[in-house]
Amino acid sequence: FLKANPYVSREEYMWEWSIPQIRLACTDFTHIKYLSEEQAKKNKAKAHAIEMRDIFGEDFYLEVQNHGLREELDIIPDIVRLSRETGIPLVATNDAHYIKKEDSSVQQVLICIQTNHTLGEETGLEFSTDEFYVKSEDEMRELFSQMPEAVDNTQIIADKCNVEFEFGNTKLPHF
């Protein structure tokens, strides 16, 4: 549809053809990252967030993450303010690349293997913290103690999802 109609924006397409879905505006979301910049960009970010809220309704959330990265810590207050100004709920999420915290060094080894580098060489894919592991609810509540509703909303989203796996029946597209 979009390829056949190049003048239709992605937002118009989502509005016209929206199916029930939950959408998170992550901190890398094009307009959300402008929140900590000049006022004109803040206004653009707010307008876009409101537009997404109008499209997705109660199933649109502003995502907050805290892996100890400066970029995340700097923007969290702006995302909280945007949530308060627009009524868009927050949701706390965690980018996980490995299961346990102590697996962070193994992740770096895997990146080196994948990129044909050795440990100590810059790959451009290094994590600056060891916080990209699967965190418990208690750990998330501690990280987001100032906004417990963001952690609560994680469960609300999970309750809205109905995922069923049918094992033994491979479903691949036919070419």
Side-chain angles (χ1 to χ4, degrees), residues 46-87:
K46 183 176 180 180
H48 190 71
I50 290 170
E51 182 180 17
M52 293 294 100
R53 180 198 61 202
D54 291 346
I55 292 171
F56 294 101
E58 66 182 31
D59 289 327
F60 180 64
Y61 295 82
L62 297 174
E63 182 181 25
V64 288
Q65 292 190 350
N66 183 352
H67 301 93
L69 300 175
R70 177 49 127 207
E71 305 85 43
E72 292 172 340
L73 298 174
D74 286 347
I75 201 168
I76 287 173
D78 296 313
I79 295 172
V80 170
R81 184 179 63 251
L82 180 63
S83 173
R84 289 187 184 131
E85 290 175 1
T86 62

Side-chain angles (χ1 to χ4, degrees), residues 19-153:
I19 57 173
Q21 57 184 297
I22 297 167
R23 180 144 177 157
L24 309 183
C26 66
T27 53
D28 287 339
F29 187 57
T30 304
H31 297 286
I32 300 301
K33 69 181 179 183
Y34 291 138
L35 285 173
S36 59
E37 296 184 10
E38 63 201 49
Q39 190 61 42
K41 288 184 178 180
K42 287 182 183 184
N43 292 341
K44 185 176 182 179
K46 183 176 180 180
H48 190 71
I50 290 170
E51 182 180 17
M52 293 294 100
R53 180 198 61 202
D54 291 346
I55 292 171
F56 294 101
E58 66 182 31
D59 289 327
F60 180 64
Y61 295 82
L62 297 174
E63 182 181 25
V64 288
Q65 292 190 350
N66 183 352
H67 301 93
L69 300 175
R70 177 49 127 207
E71 305 85 43
E72 292 172 340
L73 298 174
D74 286 347
I75 201 168
I76 287 173
D78 296 313
I79 295 172
V80 170
R81 184 179 63 251
L82 180 63
S83 173
R84 289 187 184 131
E85 290 175 1
T86 62
I88 300 170
L90 297 169
V91 62
T93 66
N94 185 66
D95 193 2
H97 289 260
Y98 38 90
I99 303 298
K100 297 182 265 180
K101 188 173 189 168
E102 55 268 19
D103 293 337
S104 65
S105 60
V106 175
Q107 173 69 13
Q108 187 57 43
V109 170
L110 292 173
I111 289 171
C112 288
I113 292 169
Q114 179 185 9
T115 60
N116 197 28
H117 286 80
T118 59
L119 286 173
E121 282 185 300
E122 291 285 325
T123 66
L125 300 173
E126 294 83 12
F127 295 111
S128 59
T129 73
D130 59 358
E131 295 295 319
F132 288 87
Y133 66 97
V134 178
K135 292 182 176 71
S136 69
E137 180 180 348
D138 289 341
E139 288 173 301
M140 293 296 284
R141 289 201 178 278
E142 185 178 331
L143 278 173
F144 297 99
S145 61
Q146 301 299 316
M147 54 188 102
E149 73 281 2
V151 180
D152 295 340
N153 285 336

